[in-house]
């Protein structure tokens, strides 16, 4: 398997906003999939500015048909402010997810010893409301082999981010509630604990997952910590808002 070649194919599809008609190679194993993800990131030609942690909730795992979290990079130019208008691209899954976001104030570089929760939370600077736009470059729908999800950067298109607030490790993000509306219609509700018990657990998992892969979190990185309600679909012409109880709103309008 030509890891770099497959990574370039996925990067080109991501940059072009298109979906591949066929899988670019035989299904990889997980080590190969993570190597493909790294090759894709190198071929993107854009800095990594954050991470999407996916499949952190039972609901997300049921939707995709997998049983463990995965993390993928978010690239410069793929983070938008709340209120952005975005257009679906050809073959777009058009799935929107409300998530608790975190922004790093300090680096957490790779190391031999695992990071504990207190170390990780001490490096977090802000908490913010996020809508993730989910899309994939591979054939088919949302259900996918975990290895292909990993290779494709955990099928993120990018993140829409609301205003940040100073982070306090004692804040009850597990109890943070959200309601997602399409225009004025409430579609789904959820709570922060649905993602691995809370964003603190997710960011600790991510710091150690990246460290084990020889990477790290960097100052300024924005982290989407996973779906905490049900997914909604990006209907053209509609405005979607995720209203968090204490974090406030984040919204995106889908172009016709």
């Amino acid at each position: 398997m030509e890891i770099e070649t497959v990574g370039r194919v996925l990067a080109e599809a991501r940059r072009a906003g298109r979906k591949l008609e066929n899988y670019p190679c035989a299904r990889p194993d997980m080590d190969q999939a993570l190597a493909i993800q790294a090759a894709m990131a190198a071929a993107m030609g854009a800095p990594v500015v954050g991470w999407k942690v996916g499949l952190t909730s039972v609901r997300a795992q049921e939707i995709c048909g997998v049983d463990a979290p995965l993390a993928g990079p978010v690239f410069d130019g793929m983070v938008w402010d709340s209120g952005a208008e975005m257009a679906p691209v050809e073959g777009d899954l058009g799935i929107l997810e409300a998530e608790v976001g975190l922004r790093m104030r300090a680096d957490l570089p790779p190391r031999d010893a695992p990071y504990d929760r207190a170390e990780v939370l001490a490096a977090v600077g802000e908490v913010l409301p996020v809508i993730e736009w989910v899309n994939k470059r591979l054939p088919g729908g949302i259900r996918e082999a975990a290895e292909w999800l990993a290779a494709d950067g955990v099928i993120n298109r990018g993140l829409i981010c609301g205003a940040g607030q100073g982070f306090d490790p004692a804040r009850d993000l597990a109890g943070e509630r959200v309601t997602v509306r399409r225009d004025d219609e409430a579609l789904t509700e959820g709570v922060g604990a649905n993602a691995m018990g809370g964003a603190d657990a997710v960011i600790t998992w991510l710091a150690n997952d990246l460290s084990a892969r020889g990477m790290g979190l960097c100052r300024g990185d924005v982290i989407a910590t996973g779906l905490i309600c049900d997914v909604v679909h990006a209907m053209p012409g509609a405005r979607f808002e995720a209203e968090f109880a204490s974090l406030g709103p984040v919204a995106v309008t889908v172009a016709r």
Side-chain angles (χ1 to χ4, degrees), residues 4-250:
E4 288 74 18
T5 299
V6 178
R8 284 196 299 272
V9 169
L10 289 172
E12 289 166 3
R14 183 182 285 260
R15 286 195 303 268
R18 66 182 177 86
K19 190 169 189 165
L20 299 175
E21 294 183 3
N22 301 294
Y23 288 90
C25 64
R27 177 172 161 178
D29 62 30
M30 187 54 77
D31 287 342
Q32 291 170 328
L34 293 174
I36 291 169
Q37 183 188 113
M40 178 272 292
M44 279 295 293
V48 173
V49 297
W51 293 87
K52 174 258 178 81
V53 187
L55 311 173
T56 56
S57 71
V58 172
R59 178 58 180 149
Q61 291 174 6
E62 288 174 347
I63 290 169
C64 292
V66 301
D67 60 2
L70 292 168
V74 176
F75 299 97
D76 189 31
M78 297 179 180
V79 177
W80 301 275
D81 291 335
S82 179
E85 181 177 87
M86 296 178 59
V89 295
E90 184 178 356
D92 203 325
L93 292 178
I95 289 175
L96 306 178
E97 298 183 354
E99 309 188 16
V100 174
L102 300 171
R103 183 173 282 117
M104 304 303 295
R105 69 170 185 84
D107 296 346
L108 290 175
R111 70 183 195 188
D112 292 335
Y115 285 101
D116 64 31
R117 177 183 179 278
E119 287 179 289
V120 174
L121 297 188
V124 176
E126 287 187 334
V127 58
L128 60 153
V130 166
I131 293 173
E132 180 192 354
W133 189 303
V134 177
N135 192 27
K136 66 188 292 195
R137 271 52 59 177
L138 298 166
I142 188 66
R143 293 185 69 87
E144 184 60 85
E147 294 84 358
W148 277 123
L149 293 174
D152 192 23
V154 198
I155 62 172
N156 72 80
R157 179 181 177 186
L159 307 177
I160 301 99
C161 296
Q165 302 177 17
F167 179 74
D168 178 354
R171 186 170 185 157
D172 178 23
L173 293 179
E176 182 72 25
R177 302 203 67 86
V178 66
T179 300
V180 180
R181 294 181 175 85
R182 182 182 61 229
D183 298 322
D184 294 325
E185 179 186 1
L187 300 178
T188 181
E189 297 181 346
V191 63
N194 288 339
M196 288 179 68
D200 56 339
V202 177
I203 192 71
T204 303
W205 176 89
L206 176 63
N208 286 305
D209 180 69
L210 293 180
S211 182
R213 292 161 59 183
M215 298 183 285
L217 288 165
C218 298
R219 177 187 173 94
D221 280 352
V222 61
I223 315 301
T225 61
L227 176 68
I228 63 172
C229 51
D230 210 343
V231 300
V232 299
H233 294 274
M235 181 183 296
R239 181 180 185 273
F240 294 85
E241 180 177 89
E243 178 70 42
F244 289 79
S246 69
L247 299 180
V250 57

